[in-house]
Amino acid sequence: MKKFNPNKNIIITLILVIVVVSVISITAARRANNQKTNLAQSVANDSVSIVDRVISAPVKFVENTFSNVQNLFVTYSENERLKNKIDSYDELAQKTKNQEREIKKLQAELKLNETLTDFEKVSANVITRSPDAWQDMLVIDKGSKDGLKINMAVLSQKGLVGRVIEVNLTSAKVELLTSANQNSDHFPVRISGKEGETFGLLRNYDEKTGTLIVNQLTGEKKLKAGDVVQTSGLGGNSPADLPVGTVVESKSDDYGLDKQVYVKPYADMYDMSVVTVVKRAAGDSE
């Protein structure tokens, strides 16, 4: 086996380098004199160019890869920043919608109060409405110190929603018209139409149609859709002329013995944040 001689290889390499450098120097000098490139110089230049490209290609690849990765991270950071900005805009937009919604409720309550000039009243905020008793009752932030008493009528937005059934010092419990409590003291009402007035008792709520049901009607007057329903004040537990809603239809009950009137309430029974408690008609004594 032929023994590898490193000294011999080094000498050969040095000779080749000296030859290449010499050729480049000579051809460069000649080019400076006659401005022409000979064959030897062309070969040397091409060789150096090839070696340069071979050496620089991996370096350029690494540089480009690093630059692309860096750009990717910059793009990701920018996208995250824009996403957070969009989320903040969405949150602000939703907050604005909620505020507009609350303003509309307060405006409706103010308009209602303007129509109740003949009554002494007090406004209150809804502080509790239990999910398991959503249709039955709510708690407000006014109580006996504000003059509230049991059986006082409660309105919201445009019409009647219920009555006070329990009073504490700084809070009160309100039973809603949507309550299924059959023992509740319901409201006597008056239905006004073109043919005159009909009286009845507001007793039930139809959850499917979202309508209040009036029965025990007096008289034989024909009722039509759109007839106005208000409290009658009969019975003494609530003042007269409080707005309730409008007639949708009237028909006989399941037994065909009594006529029932279905009334679309003015108030939204499911969306209440502010209410108005009617303490009494103006001029009435305690």
Side-chain angles (χ1 to χ4, degrees):
M1 182 176 179
K2 188 176 180 180
K3 188 175 180 181
F4 175 72
N5 189 352
N7 292 330
K8 183 179 179 180
N9 290 333
I10 292 173
I11 292 171
I12 292 171
T13 302
L14 288 174
I15 291 172
L16 290 173
V17 171
I18 292 170
V19 170
V20 171
V21 172
S22 299
V23 171
I24 293 173
S25 299
I26 293 169
T27 54
R30 288 183 178 180
R31 186 181 178 189
N33 293 329
N34 55 23
Q35 300 298 321
K36 292 182 180 180
T37 303
N38 58 31
L39 179 61
Q41 185 181 5
S42 297
V43 172
N45 289 341
D46 291 341
S47 299
V48 172
S49 176
I50 292 172
V51 172
D52 180 68
R53 285 198 298 270
V54 171
I55 294 174
S56 63
V59 175
K60 289 181 178 179
F61 174 77
V62 172
E63 288 179 349
N64 291 335
T65 302
F66 178 78
S67 178
N68 291 336
V69 171
Q70 188 176 26
N71 290 337
L72 182 62
F73 276 108
V74 170
T75 302
Y76 176 79
S77 299
E78 185 67 15
N79 286 342
E80 284 297 309
R81 187 181 69 82
L82 292 174
K83 183 180 177 182
N84 291 334
K85 202 169 184 179
I86 291 173
D87 289 342
S88 66
Y89 283 150
D90 290 342
E91 183 179 351
L92 181 60
Q94 187 59 48
K95 186 177 181 180
T96 302
K97 286 183 181 178
N98 291 339
Q99 289 175 341
E100 289 175 351
R101 183 167 162 268
E102 195 65 26
I103 288 172
K104 286 182 180 179
K105 287 183 183 179
L106 293 173
Q107 287 175 336
E109 205 68 26
L110 179 62
K111 189 174 182 180
L112 172 66
N113 275 266
E114 289 174 351
T115 65
L116 299 176
T117 54
D118 294 334
F119 303 95
E120 186 179 342
K121 53 198 176 295
V122 58
S123 295
N125 296 307
V126 176
I127 56 176
T128 303
R129 191 170 184 180
S130 175
D132 58 354
W134 191 261
Q135 292 195 142
D136 294 334
M137 61 189 64
L138 51 81
V139 178
I140 58 177
D141 63 353
K142 295 295 173 65
S144 58
K145 73 178 185 65
D146 304 290
L148 270 59
K149 294 182 179 180
I150 292 176
N151 281 331
M152 284 183 172
V154 181
L155 296 90
S156 179
Q157 300 164 32
K158 296 181 180 180
L160 188 71
V161 295
R163 70 167 76 248
V164 176
I165 61 170
E166 181 182 312
V167 180
N168 301 304
L169 181 64
T170 59
S171 66
K173 187 177 291 185
V174 177
E175 184 178 60
L176 301 173
L177 297 179
T178 54
S179 172
N181 181 12
Q182 296 298 319
N183 296 321
S184 176
D185 184 11
H186 296 284
F187 286 89
V189 295
R190 179 182 70 250
I191 304 173
S192 302
K194 289 183 178 181
E195 297 187 8
E197 296 180 338
T198 302
F199 295 87
L201 190 63
L202 189 63
R203 295 184 62 88
N204 299 308
Y205 178 75
D206 188 329
E207 188 175 355
K208 278 187 178 180
T209 60
T211 54
L212 303 166
I213 301 175
V214 178
N215 54 20
Q216 298 187 22
L217 298 169
T218 62
E220 299 294 329
K221 295 181 177 63
K222 187 176 181 180
L223 301 176
K224 295 181 180 180
D227 287 350
V228 176
V229 182
Q230 298 173 296
T231 57
S232 65
L234 300 176
N237 285 332
S238 61
D241 303 330
L242 298 179
V244 177
T246 56
V247 173
V248 175
E249 64 174 338
S250 62
K251 58 183 181 180
S252 299
D253 61 15
D254 294 337
Y255 304 102
L257 300 176
D258 191 17
K259 182 182 290 185
Q260 293 184 331
V261 177
Y262 292 80
V263 178
K264 180 177 177 58
Y266 288 129
D268 186 341
M269 297 294 177
Y270 298 100
D271 188 13
M272 286 178 279
S273 58
V274 182
V275 297
T276 297
V277 181
V278 176
K279 296 169 68 174
R280 56 184 176 271
D284 286 356
S285 58
E286 292 285 350

